[in-house]
Amino acid sequence: MLSMNKASPRFWYINFLPHSTLQRFYQPFKPASLQTTSRATVKDSQTTFVLISQSLTNPSISYSNLLSQCVASKSLTSGLELHAHLIKFGFSRDSSLRNHLVTLYSKCCRFGYARKLVDESSEPDVVSWSSLLSGYVQNGFVEEALLVFTEMCLLGVKCNEFTFPSVLKACSMKRDLNMGRKVHGMAVVTGFKSDGFVANTLVVMYAKCGLLDDSRRLFGRIVERNVVSWNALFSCYVQSELCGEAVDLFKDMVRSGIRPNEFSISIILNACAGLQDGILGRTVHGLMLKMGLDLDQFSANALVDMYSKAGEIEGAGCCFSGNCSPDVVSWNAVIAGCVLHEHNDWALMLLDEMKSTGTCPNMFTLSSVLKACAAMGFKELGRQLHSSLIKMDADSDLFAAVGLIDMYSKCEMMDDARRAYDLMPKKDIIAWNALISGYSQCGDDLEAVSLFSKMCNEDIDFNQTTLSTVLKSVASLQAIKVCRQIHTISIKSGIYSDFYVINSLLDAYGKCNHIDEASKIFEERTWEDLVAYTSMITAYSQYGDGEEALKLYLQMQDANIKSDPFICSSLLNACANLSAYEQGKQLHVHAIKFGFMCDIFASNSLVNMYAKCGSIEDADRAFSEIPNRGIVSWSAMIGGYAQHGHGKEALQLFNQMLRDGVPPNHITLVSVLCACNHAGLVNEGKQYFEKMEEMFAIKPTQEHYACMIDLLGRSGKLNEAVELVNSIPFEADGSVWGALLGAARIHKNIELGQKAAEMLFDLEPEKSGTHVLLANIYASAGMWENVAKVRKLMKDSKVKKEPGMSWIEIKDKVYTFIVGDRSHSISDEIYAKLDQLGDLLSKAGYSPIVEIDIHNVNKCEKEQLLYHHSEKLAVAFGLIATPPRAPIRVKKNLRICVDCHTFFKFVCKIVSREIIVRDINRFHHFKDGSCSCGDYW
């Protein structure tokens, strides 16, 4: 506690300001007259003259009583006239009357008049100074109030039990903890700390300054706590968003025997609203009715607000209907509740009803309705509300302006959102975040990142919301350098430890395909949560590392973290990438058990998983069980049929989709063209390609052209394919020239192959597939010198051939094979099985197709190399490790070669097994000596 010199009548420890500083609050005092109060109504003037005449004829009605009535009603006009009357008849020097006048002028914001009266006093009067101080505080002039208090102390005016609450309230409003502590010290020294009003305002002051523990300790020292003391503490906790603690304190008060009043109930109802706890709110409502407390307007609005925020809109409606005279606050509460719980159509209907009752919406009403327009995409209504805000001169208000930015952003009107932002006179971090979020949501990720860069360059503060939003755009752009920069910024600014920032960084690194950095962040986090696991599992799945995704899922289960539909969807995609059919089936069971199949993302992923694991029948069943199929559902199933070579079924399903009123997107049409390609449906493919813009308003992209060129090339229409390449209205990419190169390989067109390869060397110099295909073309023509040149070019360019790899799933484990692989634990058995199959196949008429091997070695060595292809090793292992008659499912990272294709047709017939091979282009179902592709691939 601060010390004080007891011999001094003044408090020298206060930092006083020079008296000249206070002169700016003085206004010239003009004698009161009717001209100076021309704004007053005739009724006020008439009332004053009646009262004055009564005081002259009836001495029992004193000037003091008349001024008290003026103070209570804030009747400035009447007060000015009374002041003039007092001057005229010589009563203006009466200290009691002067104090009433000071109080009146202070409450009515006529501080120049009030200060003049205070200065005219022959002796400093604590009542006058306290009245002036109180007036400043009540009207929000906090700085002026503290200056007046400082001058009081300088003049030696002793504070009383009315002075301390006013100045402490000023400290609370300004969050001036240092001044508050000094005033606290004065209250202790002068003996007013035990006064009820002073103690209560001290409790509030410390709480408002963020020291809730100190506030609670002071509250505990109040000897005689009354309901006002408890209310002060409740309100502080509620305003600090510690609603649960506020409810606990309320329970303590009731248990202590203190009866709540209307204010107690209103505060706790606000706490229930903050907690969105309708059950607790109903209990408090029942307590209020049981105690017979009056339902004033404030309590009625608190009830409506509580039920609305708790999502009990019917309860809110009942309380609202029971309010005989709902004000704008009542309407705002029920409208905001509807918007909060996504009953946006109700909110708009309530707005119309509000207008029909004659209640004018205010800025808060329109801000809530703007959210409803944003959610429902009502652009025109949003513009009308904007016009209303302009007429109210509220469009420049920060809260309203942010609502406009949000509304225009969600309605995909970013030019209007930017204009609303640019017109803001002062932009805070919420406005910046709203605009950045808008650009990010509308897919303009580059602009979102640019805005953040502008924030940093202009030294504008940002928060975790800013970083999380920008990282979402960074992830979409796959801008790894920007991601690393934001990572560094988050560490320097101290925001890195934030839950949302860490998960956003994890997601961004994952989508930028920097799995090591994402994994490092994942391992360094200090908590276990579903979002982090979802981001990491999704990253592994998208990166093609399905095995790690499945391992992480097991780790998540060990941590007792419950899965959700998003995790399930990512894991199903991981299984799809691995062709892990058995594990995919187990996840399907898991999804059914936990009710995830009602989620559209999980359902679509299930269709995709079964299709990519080779079971189109299971995919079809999963598709038929989706109740509300969207475009993704249809596209997944059409794509599945296309991959399996069921072209006609894919086109039938596409036509069914159109009959159901679902318009296709560009992905659907890629699947349709692929279906035509894999089934050799040239005419149908040409028809859809040529009419896609006319029928579906979708312009062909690189993918569509690549599919069409591949279709024409495979069918032998090389001239048409070349013409189509030349007609592309933009520069063709690698997929287009790759399709042409593939067609040249199939039909052994050396000239066309060379031209396509030259283009690919420029576009994709790092890819080995171009060199391999060109070498195959030369090898098939016996041009071994050219093959050697291609190999030398690869060596000089440091391009490494992608090794052929195959995967097979056995008993929930995925096994990987490469060409000539001998790393497996039962490699001897696998090669013995291949030798056994070789003997059986030779007797059945199989002969290795050595012409496809580009190695310049003798025939026996070529045969040996062909026998050791990765897919053959995987199938041999499958024959050993799976039960008889069970299908064998293998995934290959490259296109299956002609020899392996022929080999499997013989094997499936000899061993009476179905062999399903998924290569980079499509599925091959080998059964009874033939393949589902009809040798067209």
Side-chain angles (χ1 to χ4, degrees), residues 200 225-232 234 253 258-261 264:
N200 291 340
R225 299 173 202 153
N226 55 22
V227 69
V228 178
S229 310
W230 285 96
N231 289 349
F234 299 156
M253 183 189 80
I258 294 178
R259 177 186 171 87
N261 60 14
S264 313

Side-chain angles (χ1 to χ4, degrees), residues 735-847:
S735 64
V736 172
W737 290 106
L740 203 59
L741 179 61
R745 181 195 61 80
I746 293 170
H747 298 287
K748 301 179 181 179
N749 189 317
I750 298 171
E751 183 182 352
L752 183 60
Q754 286 176 329
K755 181 181 178 181
E758 286 172 6
M759 296 300 298
L760 286 166
F761 288 150
D762 290 335
L763 292 169
E764 300 171 343
E766 76 286 352
K767 289 194 174 181
S768 63
T770 305
H771 300 79
V772 172
L773 283 174
L774 183 60
N776 282 336
I777 294 172
Y778 289 142
S780 63
M783 303 170 66
W784 296 108
E785 289 184 6
N786 291 50
V787 172
K789 288 179 182 179
V790 172
R791 286 187 168 179
K792 185 176 184 302
L793 177 63
M794 286 183 71
K795 185 177 181 181
D796 293 343
S797 304
K798 297 181 179 180
V799 175
K800 292 184 178 180
K801 179 180 179 296
E802 183 180 1
M805 299 178 69
S806 296
W807 294 265
I808 184 170
E809 181 194 23
I810 306 291
K811 295 179 181 179
D812 296 340
K813 186 176 179 180
V814 177
Y815 295 87
T816 306
F817 292 89
I818 60 174
V819 61
D821 197 344
R822 289 189 178 271
S823 63
H824 199 280
S825 59
I826 59 168
S827 286
D828 292 342
E829 294 178 51
I830 292 170
Y831 281 94
K833 188 69 174 179
L834 277 176
D835 292 339
Q836 179 188 354
L837 287 172
D839 293 339
L840 294 172
L841 265 60
S842 295
K843 293 177 182 177
Y846 164 74
S847 178

Side-chain angles (χ1 to χ4, degrees), residues 17-24 26 115 119 151 154-155:
L17 294 173
H19 187 72
S20 59
T21 308
L22 296 167
Q23 297 298 323
R24 63 191 179 92
Y26 284 41
R115 185 57 194 258
D119 289 343
E151 191 176 3
L154 182 64
L155 295 172

Side-chain angles (χ1 to χ4, degrees), residues 61 202 300 440 471 514 613 787 809 835:
I61 302 179
L202 278 168
S440 180
L471 282 167
H514 281 253
C613 286
V787 172
E809 181 194 23
D835 292 339

